[in-house]
Each structure stands twice: as C-alpha cells, then as structure tokens.
Amino acid sequence: MCLRVDPWFIEIVSKEFMYRIGQEEIEELRCVIESRQLFRSGNAAGGHQQEVVRFEREWGETIGRKYALCLSGGGTAALICGLVGMEIGPGDEVIVPAYTWMATALAVLAVGAIPVLADIDESLSLDPLDLERKYTPQTRAVIPVHMTGRPANMQAICDFARANNMFVLEDCSQADGGSYKGRRVGSWGDAGAFSFNDYKIMTCGEGGALVTDDLTIYERALVYHDAGTAFRPYGQDLSIPIFLGQQYRASELMGAVLRIQLQRLDGILSDLRRMKNAFHEQLSDVANLRFAPGNDPEGDCGVLVAFQFDDEASARAFASAPGVEGGVPIDSDKHVYTNWTPILEKNIGHHPAVNPYNYSQNQNLRTDISNETCAKTLGILARTVYLAMNPDWTDEQLQARIACCRDAMK
Ligand SMILES: *Cc1c(COP(=O)(O)O)cnc(C)c1O
C-alpha cells in the first residue's frame, strides 16, 4: 500500500539496516496524527499523546539514569548538548578517539573547544593508556565511543577521568542498549549520547538522546536544545539562568516511533548477540582465525563480528574470500580521522571568527592534527575485518556465512 519505491531498492536497504520497524509504529503514529498535536509540549486534556515525555522517562529507566532528553539533530546534537551541559568551551581540550564517526570531534568544535585525538587499542575503542598519555591540565573531558556496539573500557577510563577531574561523555550512538559490566552504556560517564538515525540499532529516521544523573548537565542541555526555553512552563522551575542556545526539539512523531522501537530493542540485541556468539563458538577452533578482544563480550551489542590478522594483506584476503562479505574498517570513510578533511584542514564554521582554531583562548592548546597523529589506530584498523550481523538471518543463512569463514581459512 505504501510501496512507492521499486522492490530492488527495498532489498538493498534492508540488507544494511539492523533495526526493525512495522505496523506497531504506524499505529502509534496514527494516534499522534489523530490528536493533531505534533509538538513535544501540548495539552493532554485536549488529546496530546505525550510521546516524547513518555519516551524520555522510559529511556532514562532503560539506561538507568535520572534524566533523559530526546532531541532532533541526532547523536550529534546529543553530544553537543552534553558538552554544553558540562560547560565545555574555548580554552578546553576534549579527548576523542581517532576511530569514530567525525561527529564526535565535530561536537567538540561546535562548542568552541579543541578535540585532541587518542589512539584505540586492540579492542577497537579508546586506549586508556593513550588517554593518560594525552591528558594535560587543559583536558576538561573525554568522549569514549562504543564503536560498532562494542563497549569501551569504561572502568579504566572513568577511574582515570575521576582522578584527574575530567568529565566523561559516552558516545553510545552505535550501541543503543549495549552494556558494560552489567550496566547499560550511557550510565557510566557523567552523561551519555545516543543516536537513532538509519544506521543504528533503533531509529526514528533521525534523532538522539542525552542521559545523565546530573541536574545541572540536564538543565543546561534542556535550555540549549530549546532555543532558550524562556517561554515554556518548565522554564520557571529551572535552577540555572536561561541562556540562548539552538533548536533541537524532538517532535511527537519521533517520540511515537521511538517508544515502539524501545519495545523492540532487547529482542534485536538478543538476536544480534545470538548470531555473533554462533560465529565465536563455531569458529574458535579454526587455525589462524583470531577474534578481536572485547572489553565486555556479553555487553557487546553483537552488531558485528571483528577478526584480527597479523597484516593488512591477510585481512583483505579473508574479507574478500567467497561468501565472507567482510569489510576492513580502515576503508570506513569518515569513521577514520585521516578522512576528517574539514578538521585536518581546519575549515570549521561558516565564518573565520567562529572557527575555534582561531580563538585566542585556544592558541596554547594542542591544535596540531595530521595524518600521522594516531598511526597505531590506522595499523589496527587495516588488519581488522568486520562481518556485519543481521538480526533477521535464518539459521541456514547464518550457517552458510559461518561455513564461508571456515572455508576462507583453508
Ligand atoms: C552516528 C554517530 C554519531 C552521530 O549521530 P547522528 O544521529 O548522525 O547525529 C556520533 N557518533 C558516532 C560514533 C556515530 O556512529
């Protein structure tokens, strides 16, 4: 009925996306549309569905945090609001891993601060030892990223950050619902940022969320995301002064889709993990086939299986063997810092006066960044192979893929 695109297109996209979506979202959207109130605030007595507010309560409970703020503008907006909440700005350095979607570094620049790159380790997330090496007294925060659903080493990162008075903002964009040592990611740092765009485990088309237990971080993010909040009823109850910000408000349509997506989340995660575990169990005896070490294999979302090889040639041979359909993450475009062209060229903002690299407060910070900054990261990414899991594979499809991996190593 709503198929206005060719079936071949649907087949291509459904292969890539891991979220599930269907009739339940349509029903929830129908209620919102029939209420005729699509804005996040509205009159409940007049039929307003309170979808965003309800999603925020449910998301906060799911992650295990007091406050959740749902946003348009995606994980990027959530990261920006988190940094605003921590009052990060000009004169501050923020450590980000050299392997992450460019938005992690973009968010730091968006608040006027300078991103300082740190290497990843074999777990494919921020190396706590390089965090220690890169730390200076100007470093106000660190953004560990749970890349491809694999949790970062939050124990070591949080311990170091607390001992040195740094904020921790978790980038959970690729790990909606994942966990580390039995607690969901996003509940370890001072705040956590999530994305619900098309490539993530949950989606509402675009959208994101920030979570925290800290009232000041939450209120500052709330004010910033709502263009200053001044005229909203809740503006009067804030414990902080009103300042002008941006406009990242979520709509009721997003909230409606997200509330259903949340109901699907644990099912998707358990299917992804079942697929990933089958690879690990059935391929553990294959000579020379090594899995990348994980900081918490049980909390890993299972978005993909990661193999590591001694060199790039072996990785590429395995990735392109018949039926394996692997990818080598050094090829993953703007997830690798050497492809962050606007940042490498320091082309930030629409006007030279709003480019943080030109701010007087930033002149003594570590603004040097080049292709050589994190060579260790490039080496690891070039000898890693990813196999993307699909939560909706049949048993036959799963077993066929596992067999192809085994054959590739013969
Ligand atoms: C997707 C992603 C983001 C940004 O999310 P958007 O919703 O596209 O703004 C940030 N960080 C990482 C690691 C991501 O994968």
Side-chain angles (χ1 to χ4, degrees):
M1 21 156 232
C2 286
L3 288 184
R4 290 191 207 93
V5 285
D6 290 338
W8 66 264
F9 180 73
I10 292 176
E11 198 176 306
I12 289 172
V13 295
S14 62
K15 257 192 204 164
E16 263 186 55
F17 297 139
M18 61 200 135
Y19 58 78
R20 293 171 176 154
I21 194 157
Q23 195 59 39
E24 292 83 350
E25 281 84 353
I26 295 173
E27 293 307 323
E28 200 71 23
L29 283 168
R30 180 195 302 279
C31 295
V32 171
I33 292 165
E34 286 175 355
S35 79
R36 304 179 62 86
Q37 298 194 51
L38 274 52
F39 193 78
R40 76 163 283 158
S41 335
N43 174 5
H48 185 267
Q49 299 292 299
Q50 314 267 331
E51 298 280 358
V52 175
V53 170
R54 286 200 280 174
F55 173 71
E56 288 175 341
R57 193 161 56 224
E58 291 161 6
W59 191 245
E61 275 166 18
T62 301
I63 304 304
R65 295 238 105 155
K66 268 194 218 154
Y67 310 106
L69 178 66
C70 183
L71 307 131
S72 65
T76 310
L79 289 166
I80 292 171
C81 288
L83 292 167
V84 165
M86 296 165 182
E87 243 179 300
I88 306 287
D92 299 332
E93 290 178 352
V94 177
I95 292 182
V96 303
Y99 172 50
T100 178
W101 180 243
M102 184 169 63
T104 315
L106 178 168
V108 176
L109 290 159
V111 300
I114 297 294
V116 171
L117 299 187
D119 272 309
I120 58 166
D121 61 20
E122 304 287 323
S123 76
L124 300 156
S125 57
L126 181 67
D127 180 357
L129 296 175
D130 206 41
L131 169 65
E132 283 185 40
R133 278 192 291 268
K134 295 285 164 68
Y135 170 81
T136 71
Q138 283 77 41
T139 314
R140 290 275 320 283
V142 54
I143 310 183
V145 184
H146 308 294
M147 277 301 274
T148 68
R150 299 162 54 88
N153 186 345
M154 293 311 295
Q155 190 73 63
I157 293 166
C158 290
D159 286 351
F160 181 79
R162 293 211 167 113
N164 291 282
N165 236 335
M166 288 159 75
F167 285 109
V168 178
L169 173 58
E170 291 176 71
D171 185 342
C172 314
S173 297
Q174 299 194 6
D176 300 332
S179 60
Y180 171 78
K181 293 197 177 173
R183 270 167 53 194
R184 302 255 194 188
V185 296
S187 71
W188 282 83
D190 297 282
F194 295 86
S195 167
F196 309 121
N197 84 18
D198 265 17
Y199 302 96
K200 315 298 188 189
I201 299 167
M202 282 167 56
T203 192
C204 61
E206 297 282 4
L210 180 76
V211 298
T212 182
D213 286 338
D214 184 308
L215 180 64
T216 305
I217 292 176
Y218 170 71
E219 288 191 343
R220 291 180 58 84
L222 179 75
V223 168
Y224 189 80
H225 108 292
D226 194 5
T229 325
F231 57 96
R232 307 264 174 254
Y234 54 79
Q236 293 141 27
D237 303 328
L238 296 171
S239 60
I240 57 160
I242 302 278
F243 58 95
L244 284 193
Q246 301 283 325
Q247 202 288 67
Y248 297 135
R249 285 186 305 268
S251 81
E252 285 291 277
L253 299 171
M254 298 167 70
V257 172
L258 286 171
R259 288 190 52 239
I260 306 298
Q261 289 278 299
L262 176 51
Q263 292 174 20
R264 301 185 191 276
L265 177 65
D266 283 336
I268 294 175
L269 289 173
S270 89
D271 285 330
L272 285 169
R273 286 167 173 157
R274 183 165 51 77
M275 305 285 170
K276 190 204 79 166
N277 289 341
F279 276 82
H280 278 252
E281 280 155 23
Q282 297 182 41
L283 295 172
S284 60
D285 62 330
V286 178
N288 300 322
L289 193 58
R290 196 167 74 237
F291 295 99
N295 293 307
D296 182 352
E298 273 167 37
D300 178 352
C301 298
V303 168
L304 48 76
V305 174
F307 299 98
Q308 260 160 11
F309 294 85
D310 291 337
D311 52 57
E312 180 168 356
S314 318
R316 292 205 181 274
F318 178 76
S320 59
V324 169
E325 292 182 47
V328 182
I330 191 77
D331 300 335
S332 60
D333 194 41
K334 299 247 176 309
H335 293 94
V336 185
Y337 77 97
T338 47
N339 298 319
W340 300 349
T341 315
I343 297 180
L344 290 164
E345 294 178 352
K346 306 205 167 128
N347 276 327
I348 317 297
H350 66 287
H351 187 287
V354 297
N355 182 342
Y357 287 108
N358 297 335
Y359 294 177
S360 59
Q361 298 96 320
N362 291 340
Q363 293 317 303
N364 295 326
L365 305 185
R366 285 169 296 168
T367 53
D368 54 309
I369 169 170
S370 75
N371 282 345
E372 286 74 46
T373 303
C374 286
K376 180 184 163 195
T377 296
L378 302 178
I380 293 171
L381 295 177
R383 55 186 172 76
T384 298
V385 173
Y386 284 160
L387 250 72
M389 300 294 99
N390 182 329
D392 296 319
W393 271 336
T394 62
D395 262 357
E396 291 73 43
Q397 287 172 310
L398 173 67
Q399 291 306 324
R401 289 295 291 282
I402 294 175
C404 289
C405 291
R406 184 178 285 280
D407 290 346
M409 295 305 290
K410 275 192 186 139

